Amino acid sequence: MKKSVLKKYANLIVKVGANVQKGQDVIVVADVDQEQLVTYVVEECYKAKANAVEVRWQSDKVAKVIYKKESIKSLSYVPTWKIEREKEVNKKLPCLIYIESSDPDALKGVNQAKLAQVSKNLFPVFKPLRDERENKYQWVVVGAPSKAWAKKVFPKLSSKKAVEALWDAILKTSRCGDDPIKAWDEHNKDLANRSSYLNSLNLDYLHYESSNGTNFKVWLIPDANFLAGGERIIHSGVYFNPNIPTEECFTSPISGKAEGIVYSSKPLSYQGELIENFSVKFKDGKAVEVHAEKGEHLLKEMIAMDEGACKLGEVALVSFDSPINNTGLLFYNTLYDENAACHLALGKGFENTIKDYGKYTKEELKAKGINDSSIHVDFMIGSKDLNITGYTRDGKKVAIFKNGNWAF
Ligand code: ZN
């Protein structure tokens, strides 16, 4: 990719994404493939007057060897210094910039049950530390192609051509064209208008219907909002965009109040494998029955991961006519694929969807209906003839989606 274009992308990541502030520390997490982009991102951080930038390098290949060779006990061991490091992060609240390049097949061949056990073991150690900083710092997830990822998306192209093609798709869907800052300004305004209209409706529940068999109702939390695009940190007032790209208006529904069946409209890439053509049946808000043409065992393992894994944490509305869907690509990466169509997520909900969430304790937010789990897995249900009807708390019926796209 041309240097000038990479620099523009780095600027978008730092200014619009993380919105790095003067004097702030920054942590960049990136794959070892991305030295050039990371160099520009670090430069942009200092241009934004960051105090210190730390880069944490990752490698799929190395991680795979470690996962294969180490025992569960050793993989689950957390040295004290790692905990101290997280505590320090919670004190200083640096911005986090995640640059995703993962090979979707990175963990193929690694024992999934072993991985699941390790994440189960690590969860209670890191959860309280993550909870402590939630909603208090700016973060952004963006993508940059590795060869392996690009070859997965464009298997017929040479590695070089595939990387170029994936860069094009990433930059286009990230609105990184002539003037990315202006494009994001306009995009954020459009998303904000849509979510404030949705919030003005005072919706009780949504009813989804599609010719693929989807017939599903989900109830919404009375004092939860639909959010979209950028977010604002309560205590600092800093506005940032956690996902580049983003197309969704999303909220967290009532954990434990959903009925009916949904059919997937795109494959789900989960732990290096694909779950394809699947359905999830909900009763009393719980996924009680799942079927998949491919990867059914993964889906079953996923919803049994913990108590909250079979309940919903997110309901997201995305137009079928979205820039990502219009590329016609499956990216094998949630950041892109979840912004291609309407989706639901099983697992952890978003506390910041509750109005004035800062006033409540974790327990109070959970009592309002925000789901909790160690997982948050998005899956696509948007189709070209999906209709969504909203039922308001004062008994009105409002068209939300008509034939896959916004009805307003
Ligand atoms: Zn989402």
Side-chain angles (χ1 to χ4, degrees):
M1 187 41 64
K2 271 204 251 160
K3 281 184 182 172
S4 59
V5 179
L6 276 188
K7 282 185 181 177
K8 208 178 245 187
Y9 189 44
N11 178 266
L12 175 69
I13 294 167
V14 171
K15 294 303 249 184
V16 176
N19 193 6
V20 174
Q21 301 290 297
K22 190 178 167 189
Q24 242 185 335
D25 288 354
V26 184
I27 295 172
V28 181
V29 182
D31 195 274
V32 286
D33 281 16
Q34 304 302 332
E35 195 184 8
Q36 186 67 79
L37 176 63
V38 171
T39 306
Y40 294 145
V41 166
V42 172
E43 270 176 13
E44 285 293 334
C45 288
Y46 288 116
K47 267 192 221 160
K49 304 240 169 10
N51 173 59
V53 185
E54 176 196 336
V55 181
R56 294 186 187 174
W57 295 106
Q58 285 184 334
S59 156
D60 286 338
K61 284 182 193 146
V62 175
K64 184 173 180 170
V65 175
I66 293 172
Y67 287 139
K68 277 190 143 175
K69 296 294 175 191
E70 271 188 43
S71 66
I72 291 181
K73 194 178 164 205
S74 153
L75 285 167
S76 307
Y77 171 70
V78 185
T80 321
W81 69 263
K82 272 197 183 165
I83 299 197
E84 289 306 316
R85 181 171 74 171
E86 294 306 305
K87 283 185 184 162
E88 176 97 18
V89 165
N90 286 355
K91 231 185 271 166
K92 285 197 153 180
L93 296 171
C95 300
L96 285 184
I97 296 176
Y98 295 93
I99 302 175
E100 283 250 13
S101 309
S102 282
D103 172 5
D105 294 328
L107 299 178
K108 221 176 194 168
V110 179
N111 182 341
Q112 296 295 328
K114 182 177 172 183
L115 282 187
Q117 189 56 51
V118 172
S119 55
K120 245 184 206 169
N121 294 348
L122 293 177
F123 184 67
V125 181
F126 289 107
K127 182 177 162 57
L129 293 158
R130 277 201 303 265
D131 282 353
E132 204 183 306
R133 63 173 172 262
E134 196 174 13
N135 301 315
K136 291 181 186 156
Y137 68 101
Q138 305 114 264
W139 56 278
V140 60
V141 187
V142 298
S146 60
K147 274 185 200 155
W149 179 19
K151 279 292 280 183
K152 179 82 184 176
V153 182
F154 299 100
K156 286 183 189 142
L157 301 182
S158 68
S159 289
K160 197 171 171 253
K161 287 254 160 66
V163 167
E164 275 168 29
L166 188 52
W167 260 127
D168 281 345
I170 285 176
L171 294 170
K172 200 169 161 195
T173 53
S174 301
R175 295 179 152 79
C176 189
D178 292 338
D179 190 348
I181 307 277
K182 188 170 162 238
W184 272 85
D185 216 37
E186 285 168 4
H187 182 47
N188 267 327
K189 272 183 197 141
D190 175 64
L191 287 173
N193 286 339
R194 292 194 189 281
S195 47
S196 57
Y197 172 69
L198 288 169
N199 294 333
S200 74
L201 294 173
N202 193 18
L203 291 164
D204 182 21
Y205 67 96
L206 298 174
H207 183 196
Y208 292 63
E209 289 163 295
S210 165
S211 67
N212 65 10
T214 289
N215 189 350
F216 167 73
K217 286 176 183 170
V218 60
W219 278 260
L220 305 177
I221 299 173
D223 49 357
N225 276 327
F226 275 89
L227 302 178
E231 289 177 18
R232 203 175 287 283
I233 305 278
I234 292 184
H235 71 276
S236 65
V238 177
Y239 186 80
F240 69 106
N241 282 278
N243 288 341
I244 291 180
T246 184
E247 300 292 330
E248 57 177 1
C249 284
F250 67 96
T251 189
S252 286
I254 300 177
S255 160
K257 242 191 139 185
E259 300 292 331
I261 190 159
V262 288
Y263 285 83
S264 67
S265 56
K266 278 178 195 291
L268 166 62
S269 177
Y270 181 68
Q271 293 185 337
E273 288 185 58
L274 279 188
I275 305 173
E276 282 177 277
N277 296 328
F278 59 97
S279 64
V280 185
K281 192 174 168 189
F282 287 90
K283 193 167 184 340
D284 298 325
K286 287 183 184 162
V288 287
E289 207 182 310
V290 294
H291 292 291
E293 273 176 26
K294 209 183 139 202
E296 189 173 289
H297 67 287
L298 282 174
L299 202 52
K300 284 188 172 152
E301 274 166 32
M302 188 175 95
I303 62 170
M305 196 78 138
D306 55 43
E307 203 198 318
C310 63
K311 295 188 224 164
L312 291 169
E314 180 186 355
V315 166
L317 305 174
V318 182
S319 167
F320 192 74
D321 189 18
S322 78
I324 294 168
N325 205 25
N326 288 339
T327 64
L329 299 172
L330 180 66
F331 285 80
Y332 299 91
N333 183 305
T334 304
L335 175 64
Y336 300 90
D337 294 328
E338 77 155 345
N339 283 300
C342 283
H343 57 273
L344 302 172
L346 285 161
K348 191 173 166 41
F350 303 115
E351 292 173 349
N352 62 343
T353 55
I354 301 285
K355 284 169 208 153
D356 300 321
Y357 63 90
K359 284 194 205 152
Y360 306 104
T361 63
K362 295 247 159 216
E363 287 67 37
E364 285 168 330
L365 292 165
K366 206 175 169 184
K368 284 179 185 289
I370 300 286
N371 193 32
D372 198 12
S373 170
S374 62
I375 66 159
H376 177 96
V377 181
D378 299 85
F379 62 98
M380 277 7 93
I381 58 165
S383 62
K384 69 173 188 308
D385 65 359
L386 175 68
N387 289 330
I388 304 174
T389 311
Y391 290 81
T392 69
R393 275 174 228 287
D394 49 12
K396 282 193 214 96
K397 204 174 146 180
V398 190
I400 307 292
F401 262 60
K402 203 115 205 105
N403 286 323
N405 293 314
W406 293 107
F408 56 87

